[in-house]
Amino acid sequence: MSMAVASLRFLARRRHQLRLAVPGTRAAFLSDTAEEAPQAAPPPPGRKVLESFREEFEIGGRLIAFETGKMARFANGSVVISMEDTNVLSTVAAAKSSDPVRDFLPLTVDYQEKQYAQGVIPTTYMRREGAPKERELLCGRLIDRPIRPLFPRGFYHEVQITVNVLSSDGKQDPDVMAANASSAALMLSDVPWNGPIGVIRVGRIDGNFVLNPTVDELGLSDLNLVYACSRDKTLMIDVQAREITERDLQAGMKLAHSEAVKYIDPQIRLAKRAGKEKREYKLSMISDENYEKIRTLSEAPIEEVFTDKSYGKFERGEALQKITESVKEKLEEECDEESLKFLPKAVDTVRKQVIRKRIIKEGLRVDGRRLDEVRPLYCESSTYPILHGSALFSRGDTQVLCTVTLGAPGDAQRLDSIVGPPTKRFMLHYSFPPFSINEVAKRGGLNRREVGHGTLAEKALLAVLPPEGDFPYTVRVNSEVMASDGSTSMASVCGGSMALMDAGIPVREHVAGVSVGLVSETDPTTGDISSYRILTDILGLEDHLGDMDFKIAGTRRGITAIQLDIKPAGIPLDIVCESLEPARKARNQILDRMDQEISSARAINDGSSPRLATLSFSSDSVRKLLFHRKKIEQDTGARVSVSDGTVTIVAKTQPIMDKAIEKVEFLVGREIEVGKTYKGIVSSIKEYGAFVDFNGGQQGLLHISELSHEPVSKVTDIISVGQALSLTCIGQDVRGNIKLSLKANLPHPHRPEKELASEDATLLPNQDLVGWAAVENMPSKDADVKSSNSKDEDDTTEETPAFSTPAVIIRSAADCDAQDVANGPTKKRSKAASSKVAKPSPRVSKPTKEQQEARKATPKKASTTSTAKKNKKEKADDSASNGLDKGKADDSASNGLDAIPEQEISNTLKHSSPKNFRSGSIKLGDVVTAKVYQIRAYGLVLELSDGVRGMHKFVENSQNNFEVGEEVLVKCDTFSAKGVPVFSVLD
């Protein structure tokens, strides 16, 4: 190949050399080759002009535009509708021929919301959109319902409407825009269609109606009304409301009609400028002659079937099928192929006329009921007690089983919609199995009908659910249709309401629904309705043969959801409004029967309802749980979800919940409270006690004196490293150490447990437990801090929290190890330390006569010589571990007061028992009555009723008119470094 290319290049160069060498002559081997002309440059591409047409108009203060000719030019009809930065494209395509045996309109509406419309890449594995989502199916139904009735009878060509959201600013919901764009696209196409229509959304905020509200405004609105109409008739209504009254709803619909017709004229003008001429499509319609032949053969036996009230749904269907087979045999004998082709449709038309005539002329329904009569009801709650909630509801032959499942907030459904909330915590899933109508069929994926009916029931119940803050559960309702004979969606509302109450969900009141139908006669000359009858609680057959299926759900206060579907080309709004009153009366009758079965929510802890607990922690603390969440779920069986500093636990039973909370709090920690019991593990042992890890990695000190009620000579005799203990928090010292007690959880050896329990019952209710944050978040002081007379140090001392006289002042086990190394071996210094502690550092003053009398009057708790020796020994051990023999000035001097004997105050504090307090347990915030014992230059020495001494520091520029012996009301603000309480005087 390369050699061939080289040869060609050589020949080209050779030819060029010959031309230069012999001008005006030609080489022999080139004599038959014409001289090549110079190549001309290709012309530049022309500029294509896209002729587009645009119509702009304004509704509700917002500019709206229809545009065509710029996009999707090959489609039969295409329109882009714009509102602010939201743009939606709708296209129409129709088949050129139809199936000759088809007797229905195969209309398909595909609505698509792709993530590029909001500038987001899909989060799926393939990073592209998958199957249609629920919202897309619902928006497709919203477009289909008002458009379908306007196609001419007999038009059975396949029609497809495809809607794409091109861009979205997140302010406007594109569904209403898509419906108007589809109407305009049908007007531009050559498909026969009796449009256009106008679709509008109406909200209500603070009693004022809002046209085309934004998504944020809908969050504040108590009404979400989507209304579709032609110029003079209603085509579709879809409502979600918060118990709006019938009168207010009528006002909203009338306003919506007057505004929706403003969409019609721009579509007509656009169709005149850019629309196609309507094409002649073949209509599949039976001739009048053939129809009369079939009517003559079938009308009389059909009337006999419908006058017999003994027929049930399936018996009636079998009788009608026999009539159809009989007529078919006669037509086959006559070889009437044309009539046979339209036989099923013609028999159905005869059946429809027979029923409608009986209802309008005689007021007789198929099952013999009155026009406003509701079928017999059956209500049953707690059908299956093992479920979280269940209920069975029957209306006539229609039967629905509803179940409720409660879950954690993390179980909420995630929504990928370009507008609206990202999650949904209440779901109602409607299921219509084939056996409910005695048919055989395959179960597929999402069904448009099932999604639509389930969403309608979901919107009806959503209005009475408690706020998320009061009830954080995720709720799923399953509606299983057991038998269908009309209005299964409204039966799902009734059964779902009872199931919610059975599950213990605090709904305000019951919600019920009923379907209202319409049978009418029209004037053949004008097409207007000449006479009509409104039917309450329609059967499936009345729904099929009637003109309207008006589903209305609500409470006694008002309406919560509406869905109107019609078959003719529109119904006057006055008839729609008239249908609201019989629906209200029927709804109240159903509510009365439901209240008889269950009228209020059961206790959520009854039965098998799951338990839910929500714990709040800091974001840093919750990070510890992320690595252990799966392990906790496997060990306990509970479900744990973490988000934004909140941990939510859902468990089937209370023991599982307690176990899960215990594990979470051990890993993460919680706010520590005095008197609460915690579980911890001994991390290290010292000669004066042990350090315990508890509450999410925090560390507390278990002193040797808190191990047992009996004297303990060695810590290892009671506990060991790694041992799990149940400990009670008894306080916190001035250094921020958490003091724990093991003996607080043990029975007292000298007193019966009943006596201790009665004492705790009388004392604990009057004792305010003081909680504090985690130790790492609290102010701390170094172990070698020195006393000072400065004002700054006084302020620091007052802000430091203290709960009782500290037993030890050690920060952590690491500090202890460092101190042990610095002090040398323990055995060598034990005797010296004991002899050092035996010397009292402060001078002990002799108590006064009054003080001695007060102490004699104070009742002493069982104190013996042995316990007194024990207290002295414990005090000596505490002093040894504290290392406080520094010979420093006492704490009174550091607070600017005259010298107060610390030993006397410390001793009297131990024996104090003021009103509503245990001995020696004065805490921050306690308010007591005290006497002025002494008046000093910078403050007061206060004495409580049992001889406890405290201090009060004078404030600058304050009136200090006190007298010795005067009683004052004081509040404990802080404790000094020596444990002396510091009070403030209350007015």
Side-chain angles (χ1 to χ4, degrees):
M1 183 70 180
S2 60
M3 295 182 63
V5 174
S7 301
L8 292 175
R9 289 179 178 176
F10 173 76
L11 291 175
R13 288 196 299 269
R14 182 65 179 166
R15 184 177 61 180
H16 182 65
Q17 292 173 359
L18 290 174
R19 287 176 180 173
L20 294 177
V22 189
T25 62
R26 297 178 182 269
F29 62 92
L30 293 175
S31 58
D32 58 343
T33 304
E35 189 174 354
E36 294 183 358
Q39 292 288 340
R47 183 180 295 274
K48 184 176 180 64
V49 178
L50 298 178
E51 185 181 9
S52 61
F53 302 90
R54 187 180 179 89
E55 287 289 337
E56 296 183 350
F57 55 101
E58 186 176 333
I59 296 179
R62 292 182 171 87
L63 184 65
I64 306 172
F66 289 119
E67 185 177 9
T68 186
K70 189 176 181 179
M71 293 186 183
R73 297 168 64 88
F74 281 177
N76 202 328
S78 65
V79 170
V80 175
I81 185 173
S82 305
M83 184 185 298
E84 296 180 358
D85 291 329
T86 302
N87 297 271
V88 180
L89 168 66
S90 180
T91 60
V92 175
K96 300 299 185 289
S97 61
S98 64
D99 191 342
V101 298
R102 185 183 296 148
D103 61 350
F104 64 94
L105 172 64
L107 172 64
T108 304
V109 180
D110 293 326
Y111 175 90
Q112 295 178 337
E113 286 182 348
K114 295 191 175 181
Q115 295 299 312
Y116 71 79
Q118 59 176 345
V120 173
I121 296 176
T123 57
T124 59
Y125 178 76
M126 300 298 295
R127 294 298 185 267
R128 64 186 304 165
E129 289 78 12
K133 299 183 286 290
E134 284 189 12
R135 171 177 163 79
E136 293 175 330
L137 297 179
L138 293 172
C139 291
R141 282 174 54 88
L142 193 72
I143 300 169
D144 182 293
R145 286 157 53 196
I147 287 175
R148 185 179 292 271
L150 297 181
F151 285 94
R153 289 183 57 192
F155 179 76
Y156 299 145
H157 293 254
E158 190 173 2
V159 179
Q160 184 178 27
I161 299 175
T162 304
V163 180
N164 290 281
V165 181
L166 303 179
S167 66
S168 174
D169 56 6
K171 298 179 181 178
Q172 292 291 334
D173 196 327
D175 55 355
V176 171
M177 299 174 60
N180 287 293
S182 300
S183 173
L186 284 170
M187 290 293 295
L188 295 176
S189 69
D190 61 7
V191 178
W193 188 64
N194 301 321
I197 66 171
V199 186
I200 195 171
R201 173 175 272 110
V202 178
R204 190 178 70 164
I205 303 175
D206 297 331
N208 300 319
F209 290 108
V210 180
L211 300 175
N212 288 328
T214 63
V215 176
D216 294 337
E217 289 174 338
L218 280 177
L220 304 174
S221 174
D222 61 354
L223 172 66
N224 184 1
L225 165 64
V226 179
Y227 183 88
C229 64
S230 60
R231 198 175 293 276
D232 56 350
K233 292 182 180 180
T234 301
L235 292 168
M236 186 270 298
I237 298 175
D238 196 278
V239 173
Q240 179 181 358
R242 299 174 188 169
E243 299 176 293
I244 188 172
T245 63
E246 284 77 6
R247 181 177 179 180
D248 292 342
L249 181 60
Q250 292 180 30
M253 290 190 295
K254 292 178 180 178
L255 174 64
H257 189 99
S258 62
E259 295 294 331
V261 296
K262 296 180 180 179
Y263 284 94
I264 295 178
D265 290 335
Q267 298 180 52
I268 296 175
R269 293 195 300 266
L270 188 65
K272 289 181 178 179
R273 296 172 59 191
K276 299 178 181 179
E277 184 178 355
K278 296 300 180 182
R279 183 180 174 183
E280 291 294 333
Y281 285 86
K282 181 180 179 181
L283 303 181
S284 301
M285 298 184 65
I286 188 173
S287 64
D288 294 339
E289 180 182 354
N290 292 334
Y291 174 73
E292 285 297 326
K293 180 188 293 187
I294 295 175
R295 186 183 67 81
T296 304
L297 296 173
S298 61
E299 184 175 20
I302 288 177
E303 287 182 351
E304 292 180 3
V305 172
F306 287 117
T307 54
D308 191 348
K309 299 179 182 179
S310 63
Y311 279 114
K313 176 180 179 178
F314 293 104
E315 292 81 5
R316 189 184 301 114
E318 292 176 358
L320 293 174
Q321 184 62 31
K322 290 180 180 179
I323 294 173
T324 303
E325 294 294 334
S326 174
V327 175
K328 181 179 179 180
E329 292 176 359
K330 294 179 181 179
L331 293 177
E332 287 176 347
E333 292 175 359
E334 299 178 3
C335 298
D336 192 348
E337 298 295 335
E338 185 70 18
S339 298
L340 286 172
K341 185 170 63 174
F342 295 99
L343 176 61
K345 188 70 174 179
V347 172
D348 185 70
T349 303
V350 174
R351 182 176 57 177
K352 180 178 179 180
Q353 290 182 349
V354 170
I355 295 177
R356 294 168 70 92
K357 182 192 292 185
R358 282 173 50 83
I359 292 175
I360 292 178
K361 301 297 184 182
E362 305 175 18
L364 298 176
R365 300 176 67 171
V366 175
D367 55 355
R369 284 183 294 145
R370 293 166 43 189
L371 299 181
D372 59 349
E373 185 178 351
V374 179
R375 286 174 286 175
L377 303 174
Y378 175 81
C379 299
E380 178 183 285
S381 62
S382 193
T383 305
Y384 299 103
I386 195 173
L387 302 178
H388 297 170
S390 60
L392 185 66
F393 179 83
S394 299
R395 185 196 296 117
D397 290 333
T398 297
Q399 187 182 64
V400 172
L401 172 67
C402 289
T403 61
V404 173
T405 306
L406 303 178
D411 296 330
Q413 181 183 0
R414 295 182 180 179
L415 306 177
D416 293 330
S417 173
I418 60 178
V419 294
T423 58
K424 183 171 67 172
R425 73 181 186 98
F426 176 68
M427 302 158 282
L428 192 147
H429 296 156
Y430 170 95
S431 179
F432 191 88
F435 68 78
S436 63
I437 51 176
N438 196 25
E439 288 185 357
V440 178
K442 293 182 179 180
R443 300 303 305 273
L446 285 177
N447 182 281
R448 290 176 181 253
R449 181 180 178 276
E450 291 181 341
V451 172
H453 282 51
T455 302
L456 174 62
E458 179 182 301
K459 292 190 293 187
L461 296 173
L462 192 61
V464 297
L465 286 181
E468 186 174 0
D470 299 338
F471 192 81
Y473 288 87
T474 295
V475 183
R476 183 192 184 209
V477 179
N478 275 80
S479 175
E480 302 288 340
V481 179
M482 299 288 108
S484 174
D485 191 14
S487 191
T488 53
S489 60
M490 294 296 96
S492 300
V493 174
C494 302
S497 180
M498 292 193 299
L500 289 175
M501 283 194 177
D502 184 60
I505 301 176
V507 295
R508 292 200 309 273
E509 55 181 315
H510 272 310
V511 182
V514 69
S515 185
V516 177
L518 176 70
V519 175
S520 62
E521 284 186 350
T522 57
D523 190 342
T525 58
T526 62
D528 297 334
I529 295 178
S530 57
S531 61
Y532 61 91
R533 293 290 184 272
I534 297 175
L535 310 179
T536 301
D537 184 21
I538 58 176
L539 297 170
L541 183 61
E542 293 171 337
D543 180 14
H544 173 68
L545 303 177
D547 298 331
M548 176 181 76
D549 184 9
F550 195 13
K551 301 181 179 70
I552 307 171
T555 64
R556 288 186 174 86
R557 299 181 181 181
I559 295 171
T560 59
I562 280 180
Q563 180 177 298
L564 170 65
D565 295 324
I566 64 171
K567 295 181 179 65
I571 295 175
L573 181 58
D574 294 339
I575 296 179
V576 175
C577 294
E578 184 182 347
S579 304
L580 295 175
E581 182 59 25
R584 184 189 65 82
K585 294 180 180 179
R587 186 171 72 244
N588 288 339
Q589 293 177 3
I590 299 171
L591 289 171
D592 292 339
R593 180 63 187 87
M594 293 167 62
D595 284 336
Q596 293 176 7
E597 176 63 24
I598 179 171
S599 58
S600 60
R602 305 187 194 276
I604 197 167
N605 291 332
D606 291 350
S608 60
S609 297
R611 276 67 172 169
L612 184 144
T614 302
L615 309 176
S616 297
F617 302 98
S618 64
S619 299
D620 295 336
S621 301
V622 170
R623 292 175 186 170
K624 305 175 185 177
L625 190 61
L626 297 176
F627 303 100
H628 302 277
R629 182 172 61 87
K630 292 295 183 182
K631 177 66 174 175
I632 295 175
E633 292 180 345
Q634 294 175 0
D635 293 344
T636 63
R639 302 186 65 179
V640 182
S641 60
V642 182
S643 63
D644 299 334
T646 301
V647 179
T648 305
I649 305 173
V650 177
K652 291 184 177 180
T653 60
Q654 192 60 41
I656 296 177
M657 173 63 72
D658 296 339
K659 186 177 180 181
I661 291 177
E662 177 184 335
K663 287 184 174 292
V664 169
E665 290 182 342
F666 184 80
L667 286 172
V668 181
R670 60 177 176 175
E671 184 178 354
I672 304 173
E673 297 183 15
V674 176
K676 287 293 185 68
T677 302
Y678 302 89
K679 290 190 176 182
I681 298 176
V682 179
S683 60
S684 63
I685 294 178
K686 306 298 177 184
E687 61 181 14
Y688 49 82
F691 284 94
V692 180
D693 291 335
F694 75 109
N695 198 43
Q698 298 183 21
Q699 196 172 70
L701 177 63
L702 175 60
H703 193 257
I704 189 173
S705 62
E706 297 294 335
L707 290 174
S708 174
H709 294 287
E710 300 294 338
V712 178
S713 59
K714 195 175 181 181
V715 177
T716 54
D717 293 342
I718 305 297
I719 59 176
S720 59
V721 175
Q723 182 178 352
L725 301 174
S726 181
L727 306 170
T728 299
C729 178
I730 59 174
Q732 184 183 30
D733 59 32
V734 294
R735 309 298 184 190
N737 295 308
I738 303 171
K739 300 194 298 183
L740 305 174
S741 175
L742 178 62
K743 68 179 183 181
N745 296 330
L746 303 176
H748 200 284
H750 303 298
R751 302 174 63 185
E753 296 184 5
K754 292 183 179 181
E755 183 179 347
L756 290 174
S758 61
E759 179 184 342
D760 291 341
T762 57
L763 293 177
L764 284 177
N766 298 323
Q767 180 179 3
D768 297 331
L769 298 181
V770 181
W772 61 86
V775 171
E776 57 264 20
N777 299 327
M778 295 199 60
S780 62
K781 301 179 69 177
D782 296 334
D784 57 348
V785 65
K786 296 183 179 180
S787 303
S788 174
N789 295 330
S790 63
K791 180 180 177 180
D792 295 338
E793 181 145 345
D794 291 342
D795 296 341
T796 305
T797 302
E798 292 178 5
E799 292 176 0
T800 304
F803 293 85
S804 64
T805 304
V808 292
I809 305 179
I810 299 298
R811 288 298 298 164
S812 64
D815 295 339
C816 292
D817 296 337
Q819 184 174 345
D820 290 343
V821 173
N823 293 337
T826 305
K827 293 182 179 180
K828 293 182 180 180
R829 63 182 179 88
S830 58
K831 293 183 179 181
S834 301
S835 61
K836 236 178 182 182
V837 172
K839 298 180 180 181
S841 170
R843 178 176 58 88
V844 181
S845 61
K846 189 175 181 179
T848 61
K849 184 177 180 180
E850 296 176 358
Q851 187 174 347
Q852 291 179 354
E853 293 176 357
R855 292 182 182 177
K856 290 179 180 179
T858 304
K860 296 182 179 180
K861 297 184 179 179
S863 60
T864 62
T865 305
S866 60
T867 57
K869 292 181 180 179
K870 174 186 172 183
N871 291 335
K872 291 181 181 181
K873 181 178 180 181
E874 291 179 357
K875 182 177 178 183
D877 293 339
D878 294 347
S879 302
S881 59
N882 290 338
L884 295 178
D885 294 334
K886 304 299 182 181
K888 305 298 181 180
D890 60 356
D891 189 66
S892 302
S894 67
N895 285 281
L897 301 177
D898 294 341
I900 300 177
E902 180 185 345
Q903 187 78 15
E904 177 183 342
I905 295 178
S906 178
N907 292 338
T908 54
L909 184 63
K910 287 185 178 180
H911 296 285
S912 63
S913 56
K915 185 178 181 180
N916 296 335
F917 297 99
R918 288 187 178 184
S919 247
S921 60
I922 300 177
K923 288 171 286 298
L924 296 179
D926 291 344
V927 179
V928 295
T929 302
K931 288 184 179 182
V932 178
Y933 181 75
Q934 289 180 353
I935 301 177
R936 305 296 174 89
Y938 298 98
L940 303 176
V941 178
L942 302 173
E943 185 180 71
L944 274 64
S945 59
D946 58 352
V948 174
R949 298 284 177 84
M951 300 175 291
H952 166 65
K953 178 183 174 182
F954 289 153
V955 182
E956 294 181 2
N957 301 326
S958 63
Q959 295 181 358
N960 302 319
N961 300 325
F962 298 95
E963 297 181 358
V964 176
E966 179 183 0
E967 290 188 353
V968 291
L969 190 65
V970 295
K971 178 182 178 182
C972 181
D973 291 336
T974 184
F975 289 81
S976 69
K978 303 299 182 180
V980 179
V982 180
F983 297 94
S984 63
V985 179
L986 303 179
D987 294 334

